[in-house]
Amino acid sequence: MITALKRNPNKIRQGSIIVDIILYTMAIVICLITLYPFYYVIIMSISSPQEVAAMNVFLIPKGFFLGSYELILKDAKMWWAYSNTLIYVTAGAVLNCLMAVLGAYPLTVKNLKGRKWIVVFLLIPMYFGGGLIPTYLLINKLGMYNTMFAVIIPGMVSIWNIILVRTFFTTIPEGLKESAFIDGASHLQLLFKVILPISKPIIAVIAIYSVVGIWNSWFDALVYLPNEKLHPLQMYLYRVVVQQSVDLKTLSLEDTRHAVANMLSSIQLKYAIIVFTTLPVIFTYPFFQKYFIKGALLGSLKE
Amino acid sequence: MKAASPVSKRRGFHWRDHLQLYLIMLPVLAHIFIFSYIPMYGIVIAFQNYYPGKPFLSFGGEIDWVGFQHFIDFFNGPYFVRLMRNTFLLSFYFLIFGFWVPILFALLLNELRTGAFKKFVQTASYLPHFISNVVVAGMVLSFINVDGIINAFVKLFGGSPVALNTEPGYFPAIYTITSIWKAFGWGSILYLAAMSSVDPHLYEAAKIDGANRFKQMLNITLPSIRPTIFILLIFAIGSLLSANSEFILLIYNPMVYETADVIGTYLFREGLLGGNFSSGTAVGLLVSLINFTLLYTANALSRKYSDYALW
Amino acid sequence: MKIWRKALLSFMAAVLVMGTITACSSGSKENAGEGSNTTEASGKLRLLGPSSSNKHIRFDDREKYPVWKEVDKLLDNAGLDLEYELVPSEQYDVVIKTRMASGSDLPDIVNISKLDNTTVLNLAKQGVIQDLTPLIEKYSNGNIKKMYDQEFPYAKKTTTSPDGKMYWFSNLHKKTYQGKDPAPVSLTMLIRKDWLEKLNLPVPTTAQEYLDTLKKFREGDANGNGQKDEVLAYDPGIFSGAIAQWFGLGTDITAVDVENKKVVSPWYQEGIKDYFRYMQQLVKEGVLDTSLIGAQGEQRTQKMTENQVGSLSDYNLATYNEPLIKGGGEFLPLMPLKAVDNITPAAQLEPPFLVWQKYAITKDCKDVEAAIKFFDVIYSEEYANLLYWGIEGKTYELDSNGAKIFINTGSEEEQAKSGLVAGRQLFGDTVFPRIQFANLEFELTSVPAYKADNELEILKYTPYFVNMNNNFLAIPNDQQLERKTKILTNLTTYSTELATKLALGQKSLDDWDQYMTELKKLGLDELMEIDQQLLDRYNSIN
């Protein structure tokens, strides 16, 4: 694979320099546009709180203040939440990939009876749901309320992922499967021995979708985990945001005082929490990225 | 296991295959049945006046069945047309102006030569996906303010500042641009993954045939991601009535309701007054039905004309 | 065979992951305080409520606070053994809705403030929460009755449901001056006092002067940054900004005129057109910042910090705005200003008596007697004093006239260290109702003289509207509530949009009749009628 990679650029990439210049300029412009928000969050998180409240930090940090980070780093609950998130992400990503593959493969077999109905069966829940309370009742009946399972188990199957994997599987040449059957393989063998090894890119996609999706999720925790000790990291951000969106118009003088104090103390905290919670997951990306590179599958496609 | 099936003969399709395939799917189907289908009985509250604490189904007469009243009320409501139009238009603009951006971006990345730079651009492109709506909204609002950055540019080029956030005409553009910017990098991952399965030999062969980079892109790269494009397009059409109300809530105001108020934001305001469980479910059900119909139609059309379909 | 090994491996991995999770969750379930054993032992109660979001003073650390030790003593003396489940307040909304809806495994006493009246009454109808009246009759030592009947006679009016029963206990608050006079604070227009002085301007005494003053702030570059960016932060889409009351308007689409026992709507009031004309003037002169209309708190804070807000609508005794201003500043509260010849400007008041939040006893409560004992402790004077004032000599002292005055015990961080806090900071609004005997004396000592003067002047001011109209309406019955909810969603949207556009001059006052027709069509009259019925019933309950 590595040799293929190294060879490719020279062999197939010999366009004109001008095209290259245009492409690179475009890439750099896009880069600047998309890098900015994160840069903005970072400079907001280290500027002095009053400048942050004034929201006039745009290019360089104004003042210097690390108090928000200090508050976060000293907060034991934050680290507790970090380890919870790691558990949710690991378990969730593994289960999601496994279920996506298991769900997708049979749907690519043309002769499977009732295939259309299974697809429709899968699609309906993407559009129709029973709402908060019936789902809560179910989770409660299953004894998962206020346990980590409430976050992991319901989220382990993503219909969207199944469809993505299936779409990828359908691009695999039929010949590969035929030859495996001639060797007498079962479907499960075919799936794990032949199809999975050449499906690394889509598995990587599902993995990163799951990792990022679970990392950023808080809603299930909000509903099913009243116990703070089980909260994932993103609940922190959610709570800070809620504290800031209190409607002051409905409060009495006394309560307004407290709400305003609360709000001010967390204006900057929001930015620091975003930096603190997203940096790790951003750095997981390059790990998956190598599977998306053109020609990465050259070796495994050889028959 | 090997002994169980005859080695020499090419296999036909047996009940054993079916059994195997269904068994492979079983965990998935069971999960979906339990966690998605069982709670679906909750939909019945769309036809009742439900409040938490009431039973969903009972024969004791505690349930206040209202039939299609919530649907009729929504349909006859003064804002029905406006809500449907805004919800549709905002999703539609996003589809028209946003759908091809990740594709183009993935093609662009695919043409970049150096590994490290390419990786950097790609990572940078999906950063906006990680910034929470609240922060993005705060940023956008401070940019479009009368004394914000955008108006600073306008003034630089001799124009007079525009009140972008109070003029209904600008809202769709602000929403669409922000949404595209937030989503395209993340959306391109899928296309890149599809592109990576192309056999590099194809490019070499094309080069020998004298195809330039543009032609290679057109004839090799693009076809490789076509199934993905179609599937995503079908789903995009199947969500033409689902604008991102969570984000709209953060950047709209009564002056731009005319173009900004969507079903989701309307239901949110209704929820603040309490007791919208039933009408919210009814409206949600209506939207889902329309979306699902759109999906179904798009899929049927796609199967007929392009040979890519969900089923 | 290799595949099977792989499959087996991944299965094992999955099992391992599950194992970890099980271990974790079973470990932490104990911490959740969700003991499954039923509360049959006498005096034992489970309580569910939100925890405060305060970063320093936490309920978990209650044992180290002197005020808690006192409260604990009261609870012990009553023979109560309490077990708390506190959920982060930002999450409580969802948690309580789902828990109550499921109706199983409920705690004994629960804070249901986040549920609206209809939901609560439905829960009552389903028997999920208990009618308190017979329980009080049977078990109470008299504290509850004394508090409700003598100290807070208005409390029953807002908590008696249409069927005549009472399903929840409430926070009770009253603020008095010189021991007995009710002391409302007001919501009014604040104006930058230091800017007035800097530009040598007099305090405006009419609406016209007010407008001129704000113009002069801009022209004279009051904040000295070289730009004409001194603004008024005001939302014309709603009527709860204090300028609306200068024109004699109510504070919401329907508002209560307490003195005349009448429900009014600004849309029908005399000053409405003049109000919008005045708004249009403010907008035309560039004084009213249109970018702040409908904005989140953050945008307003931004302008405030940037030293650009010359005037805004807020509590007359508010002291939280000044510290925000970069470079400092002072806000002077204005008395209601004369705007139209034949209309006496009204004040907007926060009622001196407040009833809010809901605490209920659920059907799963086995030891009802203990539950009532708990509330007997809550509605005692000792508890009320500990809750609001804390401990004499530590958190409060008496001034020369015998009025209670808080002792400044520093920032919250310092308070958390020293433990010198009043009860409400530590446990108010959780599962412990707030019973507050506040006084104006302390408020006055904690603000600058010019704010105190305004407050003393406003005490006797009439006419007035109130900022919390619901405090004067009885609980609606099913039909009334259903109608109200239906009407309000569309009516609020229309009213807000219309008012905003009229103020901005995007809609013309010439088409007034058309707007009124539309408002009527959306149910404005019916809404007023329902609210009038509720107000009448409120007044008839005693």
Side-chain angles (χ1 to χ4, degrees), chain A residues 87-124:
Chain A
I87 294 173
Y88 295 136
V89 165
T90 324
V94 170
L95 289 169
N96 252 297
C97 288
L98 183 71
M99 295 301 258
V101 168
L102 292 180
Y105 171 72
L107 295 177
T108 61
V109 181
K110 290 236 163 65
N111 294 326
L112 184 70
K113 274 189 192 134
R115 197 167 62 117
K116 176 183 170 173
W117 298 113
I118 295 174
V119 176
V120 175
F121 177 82
L122 294 184
L123 287 176
I124 286 175

Side-chain angles (χ1 to χ4, degrees), chain B residues 1 53 73 79 82 255 266, chain C residues 4 126 486 490 497 504:
Chain B
M1 271 148 282
D73 285 347
Y79 294 111
R82 182 168 95 177
M255 282 170 289
Y266 177 83
Chain C
W4 288 110
Q126 305 301 321
K486 272 223 170 100
N490 289 328
E497 205 176 339
L504 263 59

Side-chain angles (χ1 to χ4, degrees), chain A residues 273-294:
Chain A
I273 291 181
I274 290 177
V275 174
F276 188 72
T277 56
T278 47
L279 272 184
V281 71
I282 286 170
F283 285 124
T284 60
Y285 188 57
F287 172 76
F288 294 101
Q289 208 172 21
K290 64 172 181 263
Y291 296 104
F292 307 149
I293 287 166
K294 191 168 172 178

Side-chain angles (χ1 to χ4, degrees), chain A residues 101-167:
Chain A
V101 168
L102 292 180
Y105 171 72
L107 295 177
T108 61
V109 181
K110 290 236 163 65
N111 294 326
L112 184 70
K113 274 189 192 134
R115 197 167 62 117
K116 176 183 170 173
W117 298 113
I118 295 174
V119 176
V120 175
F121 177 82
L122 294 184
L123 287 176
I124 286 175
M126 288 182 89
Y127 288 88
F128 303 94
L132 189 61
I133 290 166
T135 318
Y136 165 82
L137 291 175
L138 177 73
I139 299 286
N140 203 18
K141 280 261 157 57
L142 293 173
M144 300 199 291
Y145 188 67
N146 220 356
T147 72
M148 283 189 161
F149 291 112
V151 173
I152 297 169
I153 304 290
M156 71 194 238
V157 172
S158 154
I159 298 162
W160 176 238
N161 286 347
I162 294 178
I163 287 166
L164 292 184
V165 174
R166 190 193 80 134
T167 309

Side-chain angles (χ1 to χ4, degrees), chain B residues 51, chain C residues 118 125 162 476-487 526 530 533:
Chain B
Y51 289 99
Chain C
T118 336
K125 222 185 269 175
N477 64 28
D478 280 2
Q479 294 89 349
Q480 287 169 328
L481 209 117
E482 197 192 323
R483 286 305 300 155
K484 269 188 87 163
T485 316
K486 272 223 170 100
I487 293 171
E526 194 186 342
I530 296 173
Q533 290 165 6

Side-chain angles (χ1 to χ4, degrees), chain A:
Chain A
M1 266 190 268
I2 292 161
T3 49
L5 254 179
K6 279 183 179 156
R7 206 179 52 209
N8 284 332
N10 305 325
K11 291 232 165 165
I12 58 170
R13 289 268 171 273
Q14 285 183 354
S16 72
I17 297 285
I18 297 163
V19 175
D20 268 344
I21 289 172
I22 295 172
L23 291 178
Y24 274 80
T25 320
M26 278 168 66
I28 287 168
V29 171
I30 292 172
C31 220
L32 289 178
I33 296 174
T34 53
L35 266 182
Y36 181 75
F38 204 71
Y39 177 73
Y40 174 84
V41 172
I42 290 175
I43 56 177
M44 283 294 243
S45 73
I46 56 173
S47 292
S48 83
Q50 210 171 31
E51 300 288 348
V52 175
M55 286 187 78
N56 61 358
V57 182
F58 290 113
L59 291 174
I60 45 161
K62 289 192 179 163
F64 187 69
F65 178 75
L66 288 179
S68 298
Y69 285 103
E70 202 187 319
L71 203 65
I72 295 174
L73 296 176
K74 273 205 238 155
D75 190 350
K77 284 184 192 163
M78 188 66 126
W79 294 104
W80 192 249
Y82 232 116
S83 63
N84 287 337
T85 291
L86 282 180
I87 294 173
Y88 295 136
V89 165
T90 324
V94 170
L95 289 169
N96 252 297
C97 288
L98 183 71
M99 295 301 258
V101 168
L102 292 180
Y105 171 72
L107 295 177
T108 61
V109 181
K110 290 236 163 65
N111 294 326
L112 184 70
K113 274 189 192 134
R115 197 167 62 117
K116 176 183 170 173
W117 298 113
I118 295 174
V119 176
V120 175
F121 177 82
L122 294 184
L123 287 176
I124 286 175
M126 288 182 89
Y127 288 88
F128 303 94
L132 189 61
I133 290 166
T135 318
Y136 165 82
L137 291 175
L138 177 73
I139 299 286
N140 203 18
K141 280 261 157 57
L142 293 173
M144 300 199 291
Y145 188 67
N146 220 356
T147 72
M148 283 189 161
F149 291 112
V151 173
I152 297 169
I153 304 290
M156 71 194 238
V157 172
S158 154
I159 298 162
W160 176 238
N161 286 347
I162 294 178
I163 287 166
L164 292 184
V165 174
R166 190 193 80 134
T167 309
F168 188 93
F169 282 176
T170 52
T171 61
I172 293 168
E174 280 292 312
L176 272 176
K177 298 182 194 169
E178 295 294 336
S179 52
F181 281 132
I182 290 167
D183 291 345
S186 71
H187 282 283
L188 207 58
Q189 285 172 318
L190 176 77
L191 175 58
F192 282 98
K193 198 176 183 178
V194 181
I195 294 183
L196 273 197
I198 58 172
S199 301
K200 279 182 195 143
I202 196 68
I203 304 294
V205 170
I206 302 302
I208 191 147
Y209 273 20
S210 312
V211 167
V212 172
I214 297 168
W215 190 282
N216 285 340
S217 68
W218 43 266
F219 189 77
D220 283 346
L222 178 73
V223 182
Y224 304 123
L225 300 181
N227 183 0
E228 215 181 343
K229 294 217 166 78
L230 299 177
H231 279 180
L233 215 39
Q234 287 297 328
M235 273 298 285
Y236 263 79
L237 185 59
Y238 172 80
R239 287 170 64 181
V240 168
V241 168
V242 170
Q243 278 168 31
Q244 279 184 20
S245 52
V246 175
D247 185 5
L248 294 179
K249 282 175 215 130
T250 61
L251 296 180
S252 65
L253 171 63
E254 189 190 326
D255 289 352
T256 308
R257 283 190 191 129
H258 291 287
V260 170
N262 230 336
M263 232 180 244
L264 292 178
S265 73
S266 55
I267 278 188
Q268 190 182 34
L269 199 58
K270 181 170 73 187
Y271 298 98
I273 291 181
I274 290 177
V275 174
F276 188 72
T277 56
T278 47
L279 272 184
V281 71
I282 286 170
F283 285 124
T284 60
Y285 188 57
F287 172 76
F288 294 101
Q289 208 172 21
K290 64 172 181 263
Y291 296 104
F292 307 149
I293 287 166
K294 191 168 172 178
L297 284 171
L298 178 70
S300 36
L301 262 176
K302 280 186 180 158
E303 291 172 40

Side-chain angles (χ1 to χ4, degrees), chain B residues 173-240:
Chain B
I174 293 165
Y175 170 81
T176 310
I177 293 171
T178 315
S179 307
I180 293 173
W181 164 78
K182 206 169 177 320
F184 80 90
W186 187 244
S188 69
I189 292 178
L190 200 57
Y191 296 111
L192 285 169
M195 285 175 193
S196 68
S197 65
V198 177
D199 184 350
H201 291 117
L202 288 175
Y203 291 108
E204 286 176 38
K207 242 205 78 188
I208 292 163
D209 292 344
N212 63 20
R213 269 165 81 169
F214 186 69
K215 279 205 169 135
Q216 289 177 29
M217 189 184 87
L218 218 57
N219 296 329
I220 302 171
T221 319
L222 212 49
S224 72
I225 58 171
R226 220 159 67 195
T228 312
I229 293 178
F230 272 95
I231 297 298
L232 289 190
L233 190 61
I234 291 170
F235 275 106
I237 291 170
S239 55
L240 271 177

